[in-house]
Amino acid sequence: MNHYAVNLVLALLPEIALLAGGMLIVLLLATQSTAEGDCATTHRRAAWAALFTVFAAAMLLQLGPRVSPDELRPPAPQSHLLAASQPAGVVMLGPPVLALDGTTRAVRWAAIFMGVLLIGGNFGCPENVTSRLKMAGRGSPEFFMLLLFSLAGLMLVASANDLIVLFLAIELTSLPTVVAVVLSRPRHGAIEAGGKYFFLSALSVAFLLLGLAYVYGATGTTSLERITSMTAYGWAGAKGPIGLVAVSLVVAGLAFNIAAFPYHVYLADVYQGAAAPVSGWLAFVAKAAGFVALAKVLVAVAGPVRMFDLGWVGEPVWQRFIAGLAVATMLASNVLALRQRSVKRMLAYSSVAHSGYILVALLVVPEPGETLPIVAMFYLVGYGLANLGAFLTLSAANPDDSREADTFDDLRGLARRKMPLAVAMAIFGFSLMGLPITVGFMGKVFVFVGAYRAGFAWLVVVALINSAIGVAYYLRMVASCWLDVLDPASDDPSPVGRGSQGETAAPPRPTPSLVIAVLAVLTVGFGLLPAGLFRPMASERTVREILHPAPPPAPPRRPPLASAPARP
Amino acid sequence: MRAAFVIASLESAAGPYPSDWLPVAMLVLIAVVFAVGTLALSAMVGRSRRGPVKDSPYEAGVVPVGDARRRFHVRYYVIAMVFLLFDVEVVLLFPWAVLFNADRSGFLLAEMFVFLAILAVGYVYAWRKGVLRFD
Amino acid sequence: MSDTSLILAIPALPLIAAALIGALGPRVFRGQSHWVAIAALVGSFVAAVTTLAHGHAYSGSLYTWFAAGSLSVDLAWRYDPLTAIMLFTVTLVSLLVVIYSRGYMRGERGYTRFFAYMCLFVFSMCTLVLADNFAVLFLGWEGVGLCSYLLIGYFYERPAAAAAAKKAFIVTRIGDLGLMIGVLLIYATFDTLSISRVLGRVEPYPLGLSLPNHTLSWVSVLLLCGAAGKSGQLLLHVWLPDAMEGPSPVSALIHAATMVTAGVYLVARTQPIFHFGGVLPVVATVGCATAFFAATIAVVQVDIKRILAFSTISQLGYMFLGVGAFNVNAAIFHLFTHAFFKALLFLAAGAVMHAMADVIDLRKMGGLWRKLPLTTGVFLCGCLALAGIPGFAGYFSKDEIIGTIFLQSNPPHPAWLVIGGAAILTAGLTAFYTFRLFMRVFTGPEVLPEETHGHVHPAGVWMSAPMIVLAIGSVVAGWFGSMVHHVLDGDAIGPLSFAWPRYEQPFEVLVAIVTTVLAVGGALLAVILYGPLRNWTLNAGLERTFIYKLLWNKYYFDEIYNLLIVRPLRAVGRLFVRVDDDGIDNALVGVTWAPRGLGLLLQRAQRGSLGGYAFTFVIGAALIGAAIAWVKW
């Protein structure tokens, strides 16, 4: 039985590394008392420690021992019922609390990948920062430890195979984000945003917990594996009243994480109040955890079921509902985003719209060994890149250097003041729009093609219409940067001088130029070579399946077209 | 191994739960009855004696001084919160102690030490941040 | 130099120029940015001419961009007669327009930006016509749309320009949506996005032997949506007149000669699909209706550039009509000649604006020939070509299209007769409004708008030279009809895999005579009405008639769209914002049917906005439950 414990630890080495790294940073911060001490040094040390931790986790993930699923089964408690029929010498094994499948692999790599970029986005700390400013959160090194905890939580969500583990992992993912939002002071509204976020997240967690309790009540087990096999053997609970209540509550609870309609109302306030790296963090980590958990629970309680190696058994009955939720989410958020004056609020509602597209991705038929289709993870990472980039650019695009850019007017003339930032903003905007040669476009192609093949052509059309609406507001964001560009060649000689004047004032936080540049390059790079993003996240077979498909076995041609002889 | 486990699943699949709205309705009923019932019960059972002393905030006899809506030092809240956190977390020791058995002593002991170590780190952090200092 | 590198140089050079100007323009090139653009476009033009003269049709692929499932997208190009003619036209006109811009845009703010956008546009347009893959074609399609948006809004400090840019983008976007869905449907039907392969699957059928195929019909209708949006055909034409807010060279290049013909190109390229979908008559009808209606509107407008814009819409209608009447060659020939004379007219209108301190209202000017003799001369050439006066460019190409209509069936089907009649009538209208414009601006007593303060800027050599070249083109382009047809028939560079049926280029004597008489008659009528009878009071009475008001307001399309589409959308948006931003309070006020007591109770509980959110959450859970129960999963 101790093998079981050892195996558990071995399987979770990357997560443990992240948590240990987080604890280390806590201790590091504890050695610095508030009164004295150089904040910048602490901040830098914490950032390096976090970066090192993430790399260590990556190494463990790559080189660590492989644990087979059966090795993770705990010995079952003695069952009096089965004891009689139990042959001597056979040890009964219970369902494992962890399931390390393709989705786990994808999520773990995605978490590490985005983790590095998120740490980079918060790397800089202003020099000469006073302890008062530090109290005000400008150089809060706590960000890094919270991020590490949150990333570990996301990874655990992906490996959870038990309702209790799943619930705890979701909490581990989302609680640090609440603290991080509050730490975004002295931004206007950070406290208010944090407060709202905390209360609403508590409320939605109550829904989730009640829903999971109903699932347990209906099935008598917390093991997702057992629930799955019950579904496979025709358990009708998911279609009955208890199942209905259970799933409604679980979906309602998780809809908060993914900000699906009508649980999107809080997001704009939170994004507006949070610092740029925190917004990027929320948009990727919280969302990914929500989608993975949603896929896990829905597949378990309602199928389709993957029976050993026989392939998919049964229809995923929840598809129609998810399709409807996707439509409502996309429509509501796009209409709202069109009317925003604040870029951050606009990005928040657009984030909801992207949740709608990822809900579409849930309908893609997954490859073997996946719960959440790999294309959904691809879309999430692609969206995470562009979104983080847009937020970081916003934070650096301050017109008067005393605050971050917020309204569309604040962005005016960015191309004149800081040309590279405007170019980066255009790239991120195009990716969010889904214009070609960006990762956003590739994500949409994979998701929409997948959904189309799964038989949801109408949904693809709706999603396309929504992406078309989306262009309008993203274009406004991109165009704002390029308005008011004065040309040095024109008669007005002043603009260059004006631009350099603006840069003389000390920025509150150093521009994460390197990270913005990396994000822009990745956004275009993965748009040109999507395999680069797929390769680490998916198995060789899946990558081949997606990127180099065998030509389909001559589909039945339409009669009048097929019967004619080919022209020589 | 797998077969045995599948059988175990089948067993619970045919569980005794009626597949209609009864359990749902029962839960809602219990929730309402519990919420309303406790209040109603105490109102009905308890005798209501009113007077200046009974209506004061602390029935223990401490006489409130000054206005209740005055500002407290922020450290009061911080300390209260830290107390609450550690208080609740330490509660885990009780179920752990109940489940502790010699079969898996090493594993369980290690688990609890990890848990306590995490608590200790948090405690050190709070301590060094000056949270416990009240001056 | 090999064929491949020569062909790829055509789009690559402008792209490099755009990148260079964009990156180094504000710091290094500054006022000399035009040299970079001119050098690149000269290179492109030379490459286009060389390939046209010596090349041969072929297709190739740069690399596989991505593959998803059975969907594989190659960066593939296809060089064939149609592409050859398009590339020649695009590079020639863009080169001339860029040279003209050196004179016209001098001293404007954002001089370098202008040339960067122009080069980007040429790149996108060349990509569009070279693409051998619907995805790549779509890329170019969106690229030209983006450049159009940027250039219409070039004078962004003018609210009208910003609004026009947005309108253009949104209206064409509606068409693009159709195109996008059409492309998806193509993929669904043929399992490939390669244009060559799709046409290869469709084309083997001899004309007229197969019945309309429903899928192909849908594809064609959707593609037509995209084409109509881009080419300003009826119902989606509202953006083009407003697009005239952009600088005149932009109007000349993008909104007259090249980008707006992308729709014609798309239909011509996929003509077999349209044919087997049985949608060609629809194309012809749309084209004819557009040609006629736009021409009637142009008769009463007073803004020089808007008259020309409606004229462009009308001429594009002719091109659609040509494709719809099974004569793609004639349509492309008209596209070719139209590029010359319409670009010329816009450039000359730009020269007038330049001279008149940006005034373009023709009521405020007159008798300009004394001040601007050169501009008057080239404008007259353009007018003669546009009006279809025999001997000038427009005459030949337009006559071919109209002649084709009457060859559709024998005896002609009544519908085709109606279309043909409308087309002939439109020719008369065209001549009338063209010469109305010319007479009012250039002849009669000299009137200068107040804004000029009596001082007229003549066009410099940078502006004059391209106009003269285009004027010569407008006069002689029609004489090269046989050469263009020679290329289009695949005799010069050979067809790639598919050639349209050859028509004996029709010359119906009767039709030609009627058209000529109407065109000359229309022109003469305008000359008389606005020459000797300039002060005749007829106009004053006309302005009160219903027809005049209808035409003046462009058939009220903008107003109808505003009422039917824009306002309801705004209202929905406002409703959503209200529900969301003000929390549940206002929503409850709105829900008057709810029992009042319950409403009050809820309102008391949900006073703060956090409470409102929480309430939304609870309602949301109920909604989700109801939805699940309703759809039974």
Side-chain angles (χ1 to χ4, degrees):
Chain A
M1 68 133 289
N2 279 326
H3 294 299
Y4 163 67
V6 171
N7 287 338
L8 214 53
V9 170
L10 288 181
L12 290 179
L13 273 182
E15 286 87 349
I16 290 171
L18 286 180
L19 292 172
M23 304 304 275
L24 212 67
I25 295 178
V26 176
L27 284 177
L28 174 79
L29 298 180
T31 60
Q32 306 267 327
S33 68
T34 36
E36 75 279 1
D38 182 1
C39 164
T41 314
T42 319
H43 186 95
R44 211 173 303 125
R45 278 186 194 152
W48 278 113
L51 210 54
F52 175 78
T53 307
V54 173
F55 281 129
M59 295 301 285
L60 285 173
L61 187 50
Q62 183 64 34
L63 307 172
R66 298 269 177 273
V67 183
S68 82
D70 276 338
E71 286 173 311
L72 288 172
R73 288 181 187 280
Q78 291 301 309
S79 163
H80 301 294
L81 206 74
L82 288 175
S85 61
Q86 191 175 328
V90 173
V91 183
M92 287 295 287
L93 292 180
V97 294
L98 295 182
L100 305 180
D101 58 3
T103 302
T104 314
R105 178 195 163 106
V107 172
R108 279 172 156 183
W109 278 115
I112 281 172
F113 180 68
M114 289 301 295
V116 172
L117 293 168
L118 284 166
I119 291 169
N122 200 36
F123 214 83
C125 178
E127 302 293 329
N128 310 323
V129 83
T130 63
S131 63
R132 231 187 94 250
L133 273 179
K134 182 185 178 274
M135 281 298 285
R138 293 226 167 173
S140 56
E142 280 84 357
F143 172 90
F144 300 106
M145 95 193 178
L146 294 169
L147 179 65
L148 292 182
F149 291 154
S150 189
L151 290 176
L154 171 60
M155 290 179 167
L156 278 173
V157 169
S159 15
N161 198 24
D162 188 280
L163 294 180
I164 294 171
V165 177
L166 187 70
F167 177 76
L168 288 176
I170 287 175
E171 281 305 277
L172 185 57
T173 315
S174 58
L175 264 182
T177 61
V178 179
V179 185
V181 170
V182 179
L183 277 178
S184 302
R185 285 176 304 161
R187 191 178 315 282
H188 172 72
I191 302 276
E192 187 194 342
K196 279 185 188 170
Y197 187 43
F198 177 66
F199 281 113
L200 294 175
S201 113
L203 182 64
S204 70
V205 160
F207 282 137
L208 178 62
L209 198 54
L210 193 55
L212 295 181
Y214 264 111
V215 174
Y216 175 71
T219 59
T221 174
T222 60
S223 164
L224 283 169
E225 188 183 279
R226 283 204 174 172
I227 298 171
T228 308
S229 65
M230 285 169 70
T231 308
Y233 280 84
W235 170 58
K239 296 174 188 102
I242 305 180
L244 181 82
V245 174
V247 175
S248 307
L249 286 169
V250 169
V251 170
L254 290 173
F256 173 83
N257 281 43
I258 63 176
F261 177 85
Y263 290 77
H264 62 282
V265 284
Y266 72 98
L267 205 66
D269 290 348
V270 173
Y271 274 31
Q272 203 172 19
V278 177
S279 302
W281 168 6
L282 277 177
F284 174 75
V285 179
K287 215 169 255 202
F291 276 109
V292 174
L294 191 61
K296 271 181 192 278
V297 175
L298 285 181
V299 167
V301 299
V305 180
R306 190 169 162 70
M307 281 304 290
F308 308 129
D309 296 321
L310 296 176
W312 293 98
V313 177
E315 285 275 305
V317 285
W318 41 269
Q319 281 189 335
R320 261 188 296 172
F321 166 70
I322 290 293
L325 191 62
V327 170
T329 305
M330 289 186 286
L331 276 179
S333 57
N334 273 328
V335 172
L336 281 168
L338 276 175
R339 298 189 54 88
Q340 298 306 317
R341 269 189 217 91
S342 152
V343 184
K344 288 188 152 190
R345 289 184 81 85
M346 184 280 281
L347 281 174
Y349 285 117
S350 92
S351 160
V352 179
H354 284 279
S355 289
Y357 304 135
I358 303 168
L359 281 172
V360 175
L362 281 188
L363 305 176
V364 176
V365 180
E367 302 286 333
E370 284 176 358
T371 321
L372 188 67
I374 185 79
V375 291
M377 279 317 289
F378 182 93
Y379 193 101
L380 263 167
V381 174
Y383 165 69
L385 288 175
N387 191 58
L388 177 62
F391 270 111
L392 289 180
T393 313
L394 266 186
S395 75
N398 33 9
D400 56 1
D401 289 330
S402 64
R403 62 197 173 87
E404 291 185 355
D406 191 14
T407 63
F408 285 98
D409 283 340
D410 290 347
L411 285 176
R412 281 181 85 98
L414 181 62
R416 170 167 51 80
R417 285 182 278 123
K418 293 167 182 172
M419 176 62 108
L421 278 186
V423 173
M425 194 56 139
I427 290 175
F428 300 135
F430 289 151
S431 181
L432 291 170
M433 276 182 230
L435 290 194
I437 77 157
T438 60
V439 67
F441 170 74
M442 297 312 309
K444 284 209 168 73
V445 167
F446 290 127
V447 167
F448 293 168
V449 167
Y452 174 78
R453 298 167 132 217
F456 284 90
W458 65 271
L459 188 60
V460 172
V461 172
V462 174
L464 282 174
I465 292 172
N466 273 286
S467 347
I469 298 174
V471 170
Y473 50 80
Y474 288 126
L475 204 64
R476 199 165 146 218
M477 177 179 84
V478 174
S480 296
C481 304
W482 294 89
L483 293 181
D484 195 30
V485 178
L486 291 186
D487 197 54
S490 68
D491 300 332
D492 184 357
S494 54
V496 176
R498 253 186 277 153
S500 54
Q501 271 168 15
E503 283 156 21
T504 49
R509 200 192 280 270
T511 307
S513 333
L514 179 67
V515 178
I516 292 179
V518 168
L519 285 166
V521 168
L522 288 178
T523 302
V524 175
F526 288 148
L528 289 172
L529 291 169
L533 184 48
F534 271 122
R535 215 128 282 134
M537 291 205 306
S539 67
E540 271 307 310
R541 196 163 70 121
T542 314
V543 174
R544 221 178 20 253
E545 207 51 42
I546 291 172
L547 293 175
H548 307 287
R557 306 295 190 200
R558 265 148 242 278
L561 296 176
S563 53
R567 172 180 280 203
Chain B
M1 190 186 307
R2 235 176 214 152
F5 146 71
V6 167
I7 291 167
S9 303
L10 276 179
E11 181 189 32
S12 47
Y17 303 97
S19 65
D20 54 21
W21 288 96
L22 190 63
V24 181
M26 273 168 64
L27 194 93
V28 171
L29 197 71
I30 290 170
V32 171
V33 164
F34 184 76
V36 178
T38 41
L39 286 177
L41 204 67
S42 68
M44 282 191 299
V45 174
R47 265 195 283 172
S48 159
R49 251 179 269 134
R50 312 205 52 161
V53 180
K54 288 297 284 183
D55 285 346
S56 68
Y58 309 109
E59 283 188 56
V62 181
V63 181
V65 181
D67 186 10
R69 287 183 193 77
R70 50 181 291 210
R71 299 171 72 181
F72 290 86
H73 198 288
V74 70
R75 294 200 184 280
Y76 174 81
Y77 296 102
V78 177
I79 287 190
M81 214 146 60
V82 169
F83 164 74
L84 206 64
L85 278 177
F86 286 103
D87 189 40
V88 170
E89 279 172 351
V90 167
V91 168
L92 185 68
L93 282 168
F94 289 102
W96 173 79
V98 170
L99 282 176
F100 192 88
N101 58 27
D103 278 355
R104 7 213 264 177
S105 59
F107 178 54
L108 290 173
L109 211 59
E111 248 186 342
M112 185 42 74
F113 272 111
V114 168
F115 178 73
L116 288 178
I118 292 172
L119 279 191
V121 168
Y123 177 73
V124 169
Y125 177 76
W127 178 25
R128 293 289 300 169
K129 284 280 148 183
V131 169
L132 305 178
R133 206 166 45 202
F134 206 123
D135 47 12
Chain C
M1 217 195 244
S2 72
D3 265 7
T4 303
S5 45
L6 209 53
I7 287 174
L8 292 186
I10 299 173
L13 285 173
L15 179 64
I16 294 168
L20 271 180
I21 300 174
L24 302 177
R27 306 264 180 283
V28 183
F29 301 128
R30 295 165 167 255
Q32 305 304 316
S33 304
H34 54 274
W35 287 117
V36 184
I38 290 173
L41 293 179
V42 165
S44 286
F45 178 60
V46 169
V49 172
T50 315
T51 40
L52 182 56
H54 302 295
H56 57 275
Y58 82 116
S59 65
S61 169
L62 207 56
Y63 86 112
T64 301
W65 179 17
F66 67 86
S70 64
L71 169 65
S72 152
V73 174
D74 298 335
L75 285 187
W77 73 87
R78 170 190 173 100
Y79 186 78
D80 67 355
L82 179 58
T83 302
I85 292 288
M86 290 297 292
L87 284 177
F88 176 79
T89 317
V90 169
T91 51
L92 175 60
V93 177
S94 57
L95 173 61
L96 293 173
V97 168
V98 163
I99 294 174
Y100 174 94
S101 307
R102 158 64 180 76
Y104 188 85
M105 298 304 292
R106 204 68 192 153
E108 295 285 353
R109 285 156 35 125
Y111 185 71
T112 55
R113 180 165 57 104
F114 180 82
F115 286 100
Y117 289 165
M118 284 299 239
C119 289
L120 193 62
F121 169 77
V122 178
F123 160 72
S124 307
M125 191 69 202
C126 292
T127 311
L128 168 61
V129 296
L130 270 170
D132 189 21
N133 189 299
F134 281 105
V136 180
L137 183 140
F138 193 70
L139 191 65
W141 188 271
E142 291 296 315
V144 293
L146 180 69
C147 292
S148 159
Y149 167 79
L150 292 171
L151 284 166
I152 295 171
Y154 185 77
F155 296 122
Y156 52 81
E157 63 270 31
R158 280 199 228 138
K166 212 161 78 180
K167 185 173 176 184
F169 197 82
I170 291 171
V171 174
T172 48
R173 203 65 206 175
I174 295 171
D176 291 355
L177 188 67
L179 175 63
M180 207 190 316
I181 299 172
V183 168
L184 286 182
L185 197 53
I186 285 176
Y187 169 64
T189 312
F190 297 99
D191 222 33
T192 175
L193 281 180
S194 159
I195 295 177
S196 293
R197 254 180 271 165
V198 169
L199 292 185
R201 292 273 306 282
V202 177
E203 69 171 42
Y205 307 95
L207 284 175
L209 274 192
S210 75
L211 294 170
N213 176 304
H214 282 300
T215 313
L216 289 186
S217 305
W218 280 111
V219 170
S220 324
V221 168
L222 289 165
L223 292 183
L224 182 60
C225 264
K230 205 55 127 188
S231 293
Q233 294 301 291
L234 213 54
L235 298 185
L236 292 178
H237 65 279
V238 287
W239 66 272
L240 192 51
D242 286 9
M244 296 302 134
E245 292 292 339
S248 288
V250 172
S251 311
L253 177 61
I254 299 185
H255 304 119
T258 52
M259 185 197 83
V260 288
T261 61
V264 181
Y265 167 81
L266 178 70
V267 182
R269 171 59 83 211
T270 55
Q271 201 246 12
I273 300 180
F274 279 80
H275 176 73
F276 292 106
V279 178
L280 278 181
V282 178
V283 176
T285 313
V286 168
C288 182
T290 309
F292 182 73
F293 283 109
T296 54
I297 295 172
V299 168
V300 301
Q301 298 296 312
V302 294
D303 178 320
I304 300 176
K305 285 181 74 181
R306 272 172 209 239
I307 294 175
L308 293 177
F310 279 109
S311 158
T312 305
I313 296 175
S314 172
Q315 298 299 310
L316 289 167
Y318 269 121
M319 295 174 208
F320 271 77
L321 181 51
V323 180
F326 301 93
N327 196 343
V328 176
N329 287 1
I332 298 299
F333 181 37
H334 193 52
L335 188 160
F336 176 73
T337 58
H338 177 256
F340 285 98
F341 61 72
K342 193 49 70 61
L344 169 65
L345 285 171
F346 270 112
L347 293 187
V352 171
M353 276 176 74
H354 193 67
M356 297 289 115
D358 287 350
V359 173
I360 40 173
D361 189 335
L362 54 74
R363 289 172 300 189
K364 292 188 183 167
M365 52 183 82
L368 295 187
W369 65 274
R370 291 181 197 84
K371 298 277 188 191
L372 303 167
L374 177 81
T375 309
T376 310
V378 296
F379 205 92
L380 183 60
C381 290
C383 284
L384 290 168
L386 172 59
I389 305 300
F392 294 90
Y395 169 74
F396 296 97
S397 48
K398 203 186 290 179
D399 201 60
E400 249 180 50
I401 292 176
I402 297 175
T404 313
I405 299 168
F406 291 96
L407 293 180
Q408 288 310 311
S409 53
N410 199 12
H413 189 272
W416 284 114
L417 280 183
V418 171
I419 288 178
I424 291 177
L425 200 57
T426 306
L429 283 172
T430 308
F432 179 79
Y433 69 69
T434 312
F435 276 91
R436 168 177 174 267
L437 170 61
F438 180 79
M439 297 303 288
R440 288 203 65 155
V441 174
F442 292 102
T443 68
E446 185 173 304
V447 180
L448 294 181
E450 293 150 22
E451 287 86 343
T452 57
H453 306 296
H455 181 70
V456 172
H457 300 275
V461 65
W462 284 99
M463 286 165 69
S464 308
M467 289 200 290
I468 292 170
V469 174
L470 283 172
I472 295 169
S474 304
V475 176
V476 304
W479 306 345
F480 292 97
S482 56
M483 239 166 102
V484 173
H485 285 302
H486 183 64
V487 173
L488 284 177
D489 284 337
D491 294 338
I493 56 176
L496 185 55
S497 62
F498 174 61
W500 299 292
R502 286 185 191 214
Y503 269 94
E504 287 310 315
Q505 287 314 322
F507 190 77
E508 285 285 283
V509 181
L510 190 63
V511 174
I513 289 173
V514 173
T515 314
T516 309
V517 167
L518 265 174
V520 175
L524 279 180
L525 184 65
V527 168
I528 293 167
L529 274 181
Y530 295 95
L533 298 178
R534 177 179 282 263
N535 294 320
W536 198 30
T537 49
L538 177 72
N539 280 355
L542 268 179
E543 276 166 25
R544 282 196 293 276
T545 61
F546 170 70
I547 302 248
Y548 186 91
K549 275 185 197 150
L550 189 65
L551 297 180
W552 176 253
N553 288 302
K554 305 152 201 164
Y555 295 100
Y556 295 99
F557 266 111
D558 284 326
E559 287 74 10
I560 292 170
Y561 285 169
N562 194 29
L563 196 70
L564 289 186
I565 298 167
V566 180
R567 290 245 190 104
L569 269 181
R570 285 228 178 101
V572 170
R574 228 172 282 139
L575 184 73
F576 269 73
V577 165
R578 186 164 294 172
V579 169
D580 198 72
D581 278 7
D582 302 347
I584 210 69
D585 288 9
N586 284 349
L588 279 176
V589 172
V591 185
T592 45
W593 46 263
R596 201 160 160 235
L598 181 66
L600 272 177
L601 197 72
L602 293 176
Q603 224 169 356
R604 284 177 75 86
Q606 316 300 331
R607 209 167 262 155
S609 81
L610 178 63
Y613 291 164
F615 183 73
T616 313
F617 275 33
V618 176
I619 295 293
L623 270 180
I624 287 174
I628 291 180
W630 183 48
V631 301
K632 297 283 192 319
W633 288 88

